[in-house]
Amino acid sequence: MEDAKLGDMPDDGDMVRSWIHKLEAPPKPSESVLDEKAMELKAIGNKAFRAGPEKYDEALEKYSDAIKICETNPKLKSTLHSNRALLYLHKKEYNLAYADTKIAVENDPGNGKAYVRAGQACEKIGKMKMAMAWLNLALDRADTRKAKSHAATLLKKMVEEEALRQQSVAGKTKIPISQAQMQGMGSTTALGSDGKPVQKLMSTEELKERKAKFDTIVKRYNLNALEPQNAIADYLTGLNGKVATAEDFIKRFPMMSVQEAVDFLSWIQVKNHVYYLY
């Protein structure tokens, strides 16, 4: 991706994923006196940032000074740019925040916070496809469970807000569904009394309905991209022939609701185990 302002970029999730795939692993860090000084400046910047808006300018100065002298430690450089990106997000300078997240990921492709903050910057500018691409990449590439969990929470929130917006535009009222109701809708298994998959007839309309729900979920979470496709394939093949349940599925893919997992898995089970009636 060129160094254009975020607001001037097309809202293209594939562009984000293509750029990430081209990144190479950073070299191993070596000891440096300047890097030690950068660590000290980072600590001062963190303290100023936590003190609140009145200290944001001081925090920005310390982070920027640390970045200038950080020479041989790409992970530290990544952290510094990621921290400064968070500061820019708080200052509502989203183009600058996005630029810093890209440098952070270039220096450490496992920096989950940088992916999340890139997604947040994209969301603020209204680049929803890019935002979801960054958050999906965080689910696959972040080096901490905390960052993955944060990405999943934000991704789910974005999807819910977009659904509400579309319903509002259409003049419809959202009907809340309780977690208990969602768990009771549909079937997450396709096993008979003998422990083998049940073969049942489905009408063309039933088949089309399940496929439509599946396609909606794939589009909603950008699941046609390589990373989520591989993650889902690895999960399903790792079951060794067992039937996936919605409850287990959302533990691995927490951005989905139980009902979304039911709808997603139902179509996969249809493809594998069900005869169709035309």
Side-chain angles (χ1 to χ4, degrees):
M1 291 183 290
E2 296 81 6
D3 293 329
K5 288 185 177 180
L6 177 56
D8 297 332
M9 294 181 184
D11 188 13
D12 188 347
D14 288 336
M15 176 181 66
V16 171
R17 287 183 285 270
S18 176
W19 182 77
I20 289 293
H21 287 317
K22 294 177 183 178
L23 296 181
E24 297 180 356
K28 293 183 179 180
S30 57
E31 295 183 359
S32 166
V33 174
L34 288 177
D35 287 344
E36 291 181 6
K37 178 61 177 178
M39 286 285 290
E40 294 175 6
L41 290 169
K42 169 179 160 294
I44 298 171
N46 288 348
K47 184 177 180 180
F49 178 53
R50 287 193 292 266
E54 67 278 4
K55 291 285 188 178
Y56 281 175
D57 288 342
E58 179 183 344
L60 178 59
E61 179 183 358
K62 299 304 178 184
Y63 288 149
S64 298
D65 288 345
I67 287 170
K68 290 176 184 177
I69 64 173
C70 185
E71 293 182 331
T72 59
N73 190 327
K75 276 189 171 289
L76 174 57
K77 189 171 184 178
S78 176
T79 299
L80 289 167
H81 279 282
S82 182
N83 284 9
R84 193 169 71 174
L86 180 61
L87 178 58
Y88 280 137
L89 284 173
H90 279 262
K91 289 169 67 69
K92 300 182 179 181
E93 297 183 28
Y94 304 123
N95 286 307
L96 292 174
Y98 186 70
D100 264 339
T101 61
K102 286 175 57 185
I103 298 173
V105 171
E106 284 176 328
N107 281 275
D108 180 11
N111 187 340
K113 291 180 179 179
Y115 288 94
V116 170
R117 290 163 189 172
Q120 290 174 310
C122 291
E123 180 193 17
K124 293 297 185 181
I125 295 294
K127 306 291 186 181
M128 300 308 296
K129 292 179 181 178
M130 291 177 66
M132 295 176 112
W134 278 106
L135 294 174
N136 270 306
L137 285 163
L139 293 176
D140 184 63
R141 291 175 170 250
D143 53 11
T144 67
R145 294 184 65 179
K146 185 176 181 181
K148 290 183 178 183
S149 177
H150 191 191
T153 299
L154 290 174
L155 189 57
K156 186 173 183 179
K157 180 174 177 286
M158 285 182 192
V159 170
E160 289 173 348
E161 289 177 348
E162 179 63 15
L164 284 172
R165 187 191 68 78
Q166 291 180 0
Q167 289 170 352
S168 176
V169 171
K172 297 179 180 179
T173 302
K174 184 177 180 181
I175 301 174
I177 301 176
S178 70
Q179 192 75 356
Q181 285 174 316
M182 287 194 294
Q183 290 174 345
M185 295 171 63
S187 172
T188 60
T189 65
L191 295 179
S193 58
D194 58 356
K196 295 181 180 179
V198 174
Q199 295 180 334
K200 49 190 278 191
L201 297 176
M202 293 187 69
S203 70
T204 301
E205 290 307 313
E206 288 175 317
L207 183 62
K208 288 180 178 179
E209 182 181 358
R210 285 201 182 188
K211 181 60 164 61
K213 290 179 179 179
F214 175 86
D215 289 342
T216 297
I217 294 167
V218 168
K219 183 177 180 180
R220 182 176 295 161
Y221 295 108
N222 286 328
L223 298 181
N224 56 348
L226 182 61
E227 286 85 5
Q229 279 187 355
N230 288 340
I232 291 169
D234 289 344
Y235 169 79
L236 294 174
T237 55
L239 294 174
N240 297 320
K242 297 179 181 178
V243 176
T245 66
E247 288 77 11
D248 287 338
F249 193 74
I250 62 174
K251 291 177 183 177
R252 177 61 182 84
F253 304 98
M255 67 281 196
M256 290 191 193
S257 68
V258 174
Q259 183 58 46
E260 286 174 326
V262 168
D263 292 337
F264 184 84
L265 293 171
S266 291
W267 175 247
I268 292 176
Q269 291 170 4
V270 163
K271 290 176 66 180
N272 292 336
H273 303 309
V274 181
Y275 291 130
Y276 309 143
L277 178 63
Y278 293 95

